[in-house]
Amino acid sequence: MSVNEDPRAIEAVPLRHPWRWFIAVLIALFVANAIWSISTEAQIEWSIIGKYLFSAPIINGMQMTLLLTAIAMVMGVVIGVVLAVMWLSPNPIASTVAWVYIWVFRGTPVLVQLLFWGFLGAIYPHLSIGIPFGGPEFFGGEANALIPPFVAAIFGLGFNEGAYMAEIVRGGISSVDEGQEEAASALGMSRLQTIRRIVLQQAMRVIIPPTGNETISMLKTTSLVIVIPVSDLLYQAQLIYSRNYKTIELLIVASLWYLFFTSILTIIQYYIERHYSRGTRRDQPQSKLEFFAKNFWPHRSKTEGDLPYVPPGPGSRQGGG
């Protein structure tokens, strides 16, 4: 080949993954067999699932589940941030109060806490706000009227979640370098301004992933309010199958709705994590769709490294022209 002749482009051959395809085929066969077995051999009346999937009681229960999840998580995040700041405070009283709160609410099962709030009237039939030790009463009433099952469910879930969120927020704040706080203090910021403008902004990258997991977990934990009882999704399904004895079919209906909303929350969590990791990660985390596109259809997702190598021409900067 003469010096002036253009060189041929190098054809880069992608790395083969035969074992990856073999395992994928095995998993596909297992899943197909499971679907075939459930659809033909299992004694499930699919018409019952279709009948109740969008029925009014199930939809009402689903709305109650979403409402409980949203309120409990907002309550838990607010309490968690306050407790984390108190825990890290140099004030020994504030840090001790935060430690005791977390110790109590994280150390007892959420089901027990729900039962305590639900049956608070058995301990204190009359609740009031006023001057302690026999002073005048400003506000009061029967405990069962002031704390109905819905409020008891919010208290049980929200206060318990606050203890876990406090640990998550504390871990996020601790991940920020102390020099950031010192620099903010040197600029004349108060501790509250430093926490709000400097520390929390950087700690969000660490706080967001476990908070997303807690939200998904809370969506499923709301099913425990059935013991109070509150008419959530599982409670409505239980009412229906106690009348028609189609237990498995109604449990599948509830599970389908739980899977649907956990999938939505997972997608939201992915994009929030991606947003907060922009400044710290060179490669953004992949979604499952991107993962499958890259690993099973490489010709559709070629990156710069997959393209064939073409030597630089005489006029390029790399070629020294």
Side-chain angles (χ1 to χ4, degrees):
M1 183 175 66
S2 63
V3 177
N4 296 328
E5 187 177 352
D6 292 336
R8 294 178 55 191
I10 298 175
E11 294 291 341
V13 179
L15 182 63
R16 307 299 182 186
H17 300 284
W19 282 106
R20 180 184 300 177
W21 285 102
F22 177 72
I23 294 174
V25 170
L26 286 182
I27 294 175
L29 288 176
F30 176 79
V31 173
N33 180 66
I35 295 175
W36 177 81
S37 176
I38 293 174
S39 60
T40 59
E41 298 180 356
Q43 296 181 358
I44 299 175
E45 296 185 34
W46 298 100
S47 60
I48 298 295
I49 297 175
K51 177 181 178 181
Y52 288 102
L53 187 61
F54 298 100
S55 62
I58 294 295
I59 296 298
N60 293 335
M62 179 193 65
Q63 293 174 347
M64 177 60 73
T65 294
L66 293 178
L67 183 63
L68 287 173
T69 302
I71 297 177
M73 279 309 299
V74 171
M75 187 174 169
V77 169
V78 172
I79 294 175
V81 172
V82 173
L83 288 176
V85 174
M86 291 173 62
W87 177 289
L88 298 173
S89 170
N91 188 330
I93 297 177
S95 61
T96 303
V97 170
W99 181 86
V100 171
Y101 181 98
I102 295 171
W103 175 67
V104 171
F105 283 92
R106 205 176 56 161
T108 54
V110 63
L111 179 60
V112 174
Q113 296 175 30
L114 284 169
L115 290 172
F116 265 116
W117 287 109
F119 297 99
L120 187 63
I123 306 173
Y124 293 104
H126 184 84
L127 298 177
S128 63
I129 298 176
I131 304 298
F133 305 110
E137 174 182 316
F138 303 136
F139 174 78
E142 296 295 326
N144 292 332
L146 294 177
I147 305 180
F150 177 76
V151 178
I154 293 297
F155 284 176
L157 296 173
F159 286 131
N160 180 265
E161 184 60 33
Y164 286 92
M165 283 304 304
E167 289 295 90
I168 293 173
V169 175
R170 186 172 67 89
I173 294 176
S174 300
S175 68
V176 179
D177 188 75
E178 294 182 357
Q180 300 285 328
E181 297 186 44
E182 295 173 359
S185 178
L187 292 173
M189 290 187 180
S190 64
R191 175 168 177 78
L192 184 60
Q193 289 176 325
T194 303
I195 292 291
R196 185 167 57 87
R197 296 183 180 180
I198 306 297
V199 177
L200 283 182
Q201 297 293 329
Q202 302 178 62
M204 290 299 290
R205 177 176 55 85
V206 180
I207 294 173
I208 286 297
T211 303
N213 290 333
E214 287 295 314
T215 306
I216 293 173
S217 177
M218 178 60 71
L219 179 73
K220 296 174 289 185
T221 304
T222 54
S223 61
L224 295 178
V225 301
I226 196 172
V227 299
I228 296 181
V230 177
S231 57
D232 72 322
L233 175 59
L234 187 59
Y235 181 81
Q236 293 290 353
Q238 186 187 45
L239 284 182
I240 296 173
Y241 72 65
S242 64
R243 295 192 299 266
N244 60 12
Y245 302 107
K246 304 297 181 183
T247 305
I248 300 300
E249 287 79 359
L250 269 299
L251 289 179
I252 291 176
V253 169
S255 299
L256 289 175
W257 279 115
Y258 281 121
L259 282 173
F260 175 74
F261 285 108
T262 52
S263 301
I264 293 178
L265 291 174
T266 302
I267 294 173
I268 295 174
Q269 177 187 352
Y270 164 74
Y271 282 103
I272 294 177
E273 286 183 29
R274 193 168 182 168
H275 173 77
Y276 281 102
S277 64
R278 286 180 304 176
T280 56
R281 297 189 59 173
R282 182 175 300 173
D283 298 327
Q284 294 294 323
Q286 292 180 336
S287 67
K288 279 301 176 188
L289 290 177
E290 293 172 336
F291 172 80
F292 283 117
K294 183 176 181 179
N295 289 275
F296 294 98
W297 291 277
H299 61 284
R300 293 177 179 273
S301 59
K302 284 184 177 179
T303 62
E304 185 177 353
D306 299 326
L307 297 176
Y309 172 74
V310 179
S316 66
R317 184 184 298 272
Q318 189 175 353

